Amino acid sequence: MANNDFLKTSIEYLKGVGPERGNLLRGELNINTLDDLLSYYPYRYIDRSKIYKVNEIKPGMAYVQLSGYISDIKFHGHKRTTRMTARFYDETGSVELVWFRGFKWLKNAFKASVRYIIFGKPSEYGNKINIAHPEIESSDKVSITQGSGMKPMYSSSEKLKNKWLDSKGINKLIKTLLDDSRLKIEECLPANIISDLKLLNKHDAIVNIHFPKNHRLLGRAIARLKFEELFFIQLNLLRLKKLRTEKARGIIYDKVGDFFNQYYYNVLNFDLTNAQKKVIREIRQDVKTGKQMNRLLHGDVGSGKTVVALMSMLLAVDNGYQACLMAPTEILSQQHYVTISKSLKDIGVNVGLLTGSTKSSDRAGILKDLVNGELHLLIGTHALIEEVVKFKNLGFVVIDEQHRFGVAQRAKLWYKNQISPHVLVMTATPIPRTLAMTVYGDLDISVIDELPGGRKPVKTIHKYDLNRLKVFGFIRDQIKKGRQIYIVYPLIEESKKLDLKDLKDGYESIVRAFPLPDYGVSIVHGQMKSADKNYEMMRFIRGDTQILVSTTVIEVGVDIPNASVMIIENAERFGLSQLHQLRGRVGRGAEQSYCILMTGVKLSNEARQRVETMVKTNDGFKIAETDLKLRGPGDIEGTKQSGILEMKIADITKDEKILKVARDYAVKITEQDPMLEKQCHQKLRKKYEELYLEKKSWSKIS
Ligand code: ADP
Ligand code: MG
């Protein structure tokens, strides 16, 4: 235990830290304890075995190492010194060194006769190359061949650098800690994993991550620490899931009844895809077990998730329970309501709609019928989770477009029945598998990986704004063929006013180009009253108008098979997954559909890559992978709140293989020893408690 206590020591007590730097380390880098310092890993390594010549260096190069002499120290500044420069030269030429602080100490630090090794990043200033704040050591002190020559780089901050805690300073602190005789780095992974995977032990991994002896050991240290990080995340997710499935009793649906069968045999006018059938089977399995179901249904836009949800809800109704479906927008709820109530009308299932704009007179009736059980299915927005909405016996909850809701909102629906209802959350946001395993690691995952037959892939085309007239011509042709057109404008919170103006200007120019009585144009945006929004939307759904100009309010879920052209204005301003969602609004009927991405001629590199990716592929998973690479995981919708992605060393965009292995081992251990009671898992348990339970007692969780 002594060792543990030592690592828990507050950082300020480390030799060379003290209260002031301690506060900075805490505030700037979240390093609170010695243990935190040990796991503050370098973000990269620089090869110090190479020495450059001055005439080889160019601005924009990464860090370089030079060997030569220092002369011509000068001070610059008005009244007081603001800058100090020096000339650094070798046989091939010279560069300027520059400092903006630390003059007093530096003033007499260099001797003209001594050869120095300097290390820094060249940059360009007024046509000259200089190196600011280089690291300098006299060459007799540096043995270039010593160690691996791999120099670790730690991220630091201005405030820390002012207290000499730059990368090198941090490395020094770690050295002090590693040299402390009280330090003992214990293994935390079970011996069999270490030997199966031939992992480096914890001690060697920590030493080599900070002070790599050679490339091979550094590689092994990185691999080991990535594995450890991913493994503990998975272990935690799986344990939570296990506890939930074991503790949370679930309603049992043991029969398939008339509602389900009538819908399947008499109402449904298409064959389910195999993927849809598979998912329905998975759900039916879940609801027989007596455990609460928590399942994520993941399927690309247009893959037909709604019908799966509906049939699952009918199963609940067949077994005497109510069900509800929550969608993120009013328009989407309304649309679900219209299609679902229409298809269930003849088989006697009562469906209600509850949103923020439901009239209070209707509302009272709905709430009453919910309590007395008259109403079988309730569809709506987050109005459903309000306290006043009480069910007689809610047995099944569907959340559509889950990525728009927070986890807390999902949980609220759990408590609307004494035994938690089964929960099916659906999302079309294509998440790469690695991310799904991590963000949704505590849910069971079903995938619809097949689109209904007979659909033609959407053709995606990139057009510059200056070709607008051609695009208008194309729109006319399509309308002549009986199709409908979406035109979408970006609306981003920060520039809302400007965006709204763009949208309205756009609308006006469309109305001018497509005048009545031959054409009708609808407009929908978030600032409109919801009654107006619905009116405009319904005109488009009924086919009274051929063009719908809107913001991204239509992004999610809207289903109008006759609309076959999606035009996205300022496409460069949308993220990839949003573009893909928008494109998913078309391509739902039998006709060839088109997605036209309009942009200016000038595009940033990243925007161009997004547009090119869209033109190249319709595959949601490929798009998700690219998105992840372009933006990094922190930005993907629905993942921010999870916090799970703040990793120290692993990177799920790159470490998929390690993640899979880590998950497999975590699964095995969770199955064999869920409470981590076995002798061989004691170290593991200790680490787990440190990471996830902190002060909470183990017994409360188990
Ligand atoms: P999403 O998964 O994006 O929510 P929807 O459930 O809205 O997709 O389905 C898209 C369209 O495909 C709807 O018009 C729906 O009726 C239709 N659809 C669903 N499943 C099938 C199928 N197996 N065959 C033909 N059409 C289907
Ligand atoms: Mg949908």
Side-chain angles (χ1 to χ4, degrees):
M1 275 327 251
N3 173 53
N4 245 356
D5 292 344
F6 178 63
L7 276 173
K8 292 270 154 56
T9 308
S10 177
I11 188 69
E12 70 196 75
Y13 299 115
L14 182 67
K15 197 170 144 243
V17 179
E20 195 184 3
R21 291 166 126 201
N23 274 336
L24 276 177
L25 285 167
R26 265 191 291 272
E28 301 282 298
L29 303 180
N30 200 21
I31 295 176
N32 298 292
T33 62
L34 299 182
D35 203 13
D36 293 339
L37 181 66
L38 267 194
S39 57
Y40 191 70
Y41 305 133
Y43 65 93
R44 65 191 180 100
Y45 299 83
I46 287 157
D47 190 349
R48 290 204 67 168
S49 56
K50 175 155 174 72
I51 297 219
Y52 285 84
K53 296 287 176 215
V54 168
N55 68 358
E56 288 177 306
I57 62 175
K58 297 177 202 71
M61 268 173 120
Y63 285 79
V64 293
Q65 188 164 240
L66 303 165
S67 165
Y69 298 92
I70 295 174
S71 68
D72 300 283
I73 292 187
K74 286 197 187 105
F75 295 91
H76 310 259
H78 202 67
K79 281 188 188 155
R80 68 185 187 89
T81 305
T82 53
R83 186 162 57 97
M84 175 180 130
T85 57
R87 197 168 79 90
F88 179 87
Y89 64 95
D90 64 7
E91 318 75 73
T92 67
S94 71
V95 283
E96 190 179 70
L97 307 181
V98 52
W99 293 267
F100 301 98
R101 58 176 181 269
F103 313 124
K104 214 164 77 189
W105 183 79
L106 287 163
K107 199 160 56 183
N108 301 311
F110 310 117
K111 291 198 187 80
S113 58
V114 172
R115 193 173 186 101
Y116 291 98
I117 302 287
I118 74 160
F119 177 77
K121 194 171 161 35
S123 53
E124 195 171 7
Y125 186 75
N127 275 331
K128 275 197 300 191
I129 294 177
N130 70 26
I131 298 178
H133 290 257
E135 279 177 26
I136 300 179
E137 271 166 294
S138 70
S139 68
D140 56 353
K141 286 215 187 101
V142 193
S143 147
I144 296 303
T145 48
Q146 129 205 333
S148 61
M150 303 294 287
K151 186 186 161 63
M153 298 297 291
Y154 299 84
S155 42
S156 178
S157 72
E158 265 323 296
K159 281 187 192 162
L160 284 164
K161 282 178 190 160
N162 285 333
K163 296 284 166 209
W164 302 102
L165 284 177
D166 54 1
S167 175
K168 193 178 171 191
I170 292 170
N171 189 241
K172 231 183 199 165
L173 291 184
I174 294 171
K175 178 102 178 68
T176 307
L177 178 55
L178 286 175
D179 287 345
D180 194 304
S181 61
R182 286 167 294 178
L183 178 73
K184 217 177 134 248
I185 300 170
E186 284 181 350
E187 186 50 70
C188 58
L189 292 173
N192 70 312
I193 295 186
I194 300 273
S195 62
D196 282 5
L197 300 175
K198 304 198 172 47
L199 295 177
L200 207 56
N201 68 50
K202 180 76 182 249
H203 175 272
D204 292 354
I206 289 289
V207 170
N208 277 283
I209 200 90
H210 295 295
F211 299 93
K213 288 212 178 63
N214 57 46
H215 283 266
R216 202 180 58 87
L217 277 173
L218 174 60
R220 292 188 64 200
I222 292 173
R224 141 84 211 212
L225 293 171
K226 281 183 171 181
F227 177 89
E228 180 184 321
E229 182 162 45
L230 293 168
F231 171 79
F232 277 104
I233 291 172
Q234 290 301 323
L235 190 67
N236 188 43
L237 288 168
L238 291 164
R239 277 183 46 83
L240 290 179
K241 176 165 154 188
K242 176 124 190 141
L243 293 175
R244 193 194 67 229
T245 48
E246 263 159 28
K247 299 280 160 183
R249 203 150 57 89
I251 304 161
I252 296 179
Y253 300 151
D254 48 11
K255 66 166 188 234
V256 174
D258 279 352
F259 292 133
F260 185 98
N261 283 327
Q262 278 194 51
Y263 179 82
Y264 186 59
Y265 292 109
N266 304 335
V267 178
L268 201 59
N269 54 12
F270 46 74
D271 293 330
L272 294 177
T273 61
N274 287 327
Q276 286 170 318
K277 285 184 192 160
K278 177 196 70 188
V279 175
I280 292 175
R281 270 200 305 274
E282 285 167 346
I283 293 169
R284 279 177 56 181
Q285 279 304 321
D286 283 355
V287 298
K288 271 191 231 166
T289 57
K291 311 277 185 225
Q292 186 210 13
M293 177 183 87
N294 259 283
R295 192 169 274 283
L296 170 76
L297 172 51
H298 186 193
D300 210 343
V301 281
S303 61
K305 294 184 291 295
T306 316
V307 68
V308 171
L310 178 55
M311 292 179 71
S312 312
M313 293 193 290
L314 290 177
L315 206 58
V317 180
D318 271 337
N319 285 272
Y321 286 87
Q322 294 165 302
C324 72
L325 186 161
M326 181 163 79
T329 65
E330 190 120 343
I331 289 173
L332 189 54
S333 309
Q334 169 109 22
Q335 191 175 39
H336 277 320
Y337 174 72
V338 171
T339 48
I340 289 176
S341 57
K342 201 162 74 189
S343 66
L344 297 183
K345 197 174 65 211
D346 295 333
I347 56 179
V349 177
N350 298 329
V351 188
L353 172 70
L354 186 70
T355 70
S357 62
T358 305
K359 285 200 211 96
S360 54
S361 50
D362 296 342
R363 213 180 143 82
I366 290 169
L367 294 182
K368 191 175 115 248
D369 288 348
L370 273 183
V371 176
N372 66 30
E374 277 293 303
L375 212 51
H376 302 115
L377 286 190
L378 183 64
I379 295 169
T381 54
H382 49 258
L384 298 191
I385 56 183
E386 282 167 27
E387 203 75 34
V388 290
V389 181
K390 294 201 171 73
F391 292 80
K392 181 174 178 222
N393 56 1
L394 180 62
F396 202 97
V397 168
V398 179
I399 301 177
D400 197 11
E401 311 293 347
Q402 149 73 24
H403 62 284
R404 290 300 184 93
F405 294 100
V407 178
Q409 285 169 309
R410 174 174 17 135
K412 274 194 181 155
L413 285 168
W414 286 27
Y415 301 113
K416 295 227 178 246
N417 200 56
Q418 215 160 16
I419 302 181
S420 295
H422 299 295
V423 178
L424 179 69
V425 304
M426 309 200 288
T427 185
T429 297
I431 325 167
R433 287 194 69 77
T434 47
L435 200 54
M437 260 194 238
T438 310
V439 181
Y440 296 120
D442 67 325
L443 301 177
D444 294 309
I445 298 183
S446 290
V447 181
I448 302 186
D449 50 6
E450 174 186 13
L451 292 180
R455 293 212 187 134
K456 297 195 181 76
V458 180
K459 279 197 183 136
T460 304
I461 302 153
H462 176 204
K463 285 271 177 225
Y464 292 119
D465 292 336
L466 33 105
N467 295 322
R468 189 169 301 275
L469 285 182
K470 271 200 191 139
V471 175
F472 280 4
F474 177 75
I475 295 178
R476 270 187 208 103
D477 283 352
Q478 290 293 309
I479 293 179
K480 213 177 278 164
K481 289 186 185 159
R483 304 287 100 75
Q484 287 169 289
I485 321 287
Y486 295 108
I487 303 179
V488 176
Y489 284 80
L491 200 149
I492 292 159
E493 271 318 299
E494 297 90 72
S495 55
K496 223 173 181 172
K497 267 196 185 145
L498 270 179
D499 284 347
L500 214 53
K501 187 171 175 306
D502 279 358
L503 172 83
K504 285 179 181 161
D505 291 351
Y507 170 71
E508 272 163 26
S509 75
I510 293 289
V511 170
R512 272 197 302 276
F514 298 90
L516 287 166
D518 295 344
Y519 302 98
V521 185
S522 288
I523 178 168
V524 176
H525 59 79
Q527 304 287 292
M528 289 162 69
K529 285 208 200 91
S530 78
D532 297 341
K533 239 186 325 200
N534 279 336
Y535 172 78
E536 289 283 314
M537 196 69 204
M538 288 321 277
R539 287 207 310 153
F540 187 68
I541 292 173
R542 282 196 307 262
D544 298 349
T545 55
Q546 294 85 34
I547 302 177
L548 175 71
V549 177
S550 80
T551 53
T552 49
V553 286
I554 61 140
E555 172 194 339
V556 148
V558 174
D559 182 35
I560 302 168
N562 191 49
S564 63
V565 181
M566 166 64 66
I567 295 173
I568 305 176
E569 295 283 349
N570 298 112
E572 72 274 14
R573 290 176 56 189
F574 290 90
L576 255 183
S577 74
Q578 217 178 5
L579 290 173
H580 182 66
Q581 283 273 333
L582 284 169
R583 176 169 61 185
R585 296 306 113 219
V586 296
R588 299 183 159 230
E591 313 301 332
Q592 177 61 55
S593 294
Y594 302 88
C595 174
I596 302 177
L597 306 172
M598 306 289 301
T599 73
V601 181
K602 260 197 170 166
L603 285 178
S604 74
N605 244 339
E606 208 191 298
R608 193 168 291 278
Q609 280 192 57
R610 286 198 296 266
V611 170
E612 279 169 7
T613 305
M614 287 293 292
V615 171
K616 218 163 36 198
T617 181
N618 276 306
D619 182 334
F621 283 92
K622 279 201 191 122
I623 287 174
E625 305 278 354
T626 311
D627 200 27
L628 193 61
K629 283 190 186 122
L630 285 178
R631 298 203 294 174
D635 273 345
I636 290 198
E637 253 180 307
T639 62
K640 269 189 200 128
Q641 68 273 41
S642 72
I644 257 168
L645 298 170
E646 287 161 21
M647 297 184 196
K648 288 191 157 135
I649 187 164
D651 174 351
I652 49 168
T653 62
K654 296 185 190 130
D655 299 328
E656 185 170 357
K657 275 196 198 131
I658 303 180
L659 173 60
K660 277 191 189 129
V661 180
R663 183 165 174 100
D664 288 347
Y665 274 99
V667 167
K668 234 185 270 168
I669 289 179
T670 313
E671 271 165 14
Q672 291 165 359
D673 184 19
M675 283 0 272
L676 304 180
E677 285 161 340
K678 288 190 184 163
Q679 192 52 41
C680 60
H681 292 152
Q682 288 320 293
K683 288 176 195 159
L684 183 69
R685 173 168 164 174
K686 203 163 101 188
K687 183 77 187 170
Y688 179 86
E689 288 177 4
E690 263 171 51
L691 284 172
Y692 293 106
L693 304 182
E694 301 277 45
K695 291 177 189 72
K696 275 178 262 157
S697 84
W698 180 258
S699 61
K700 261 193 220 133
I701 287 279
S702 52

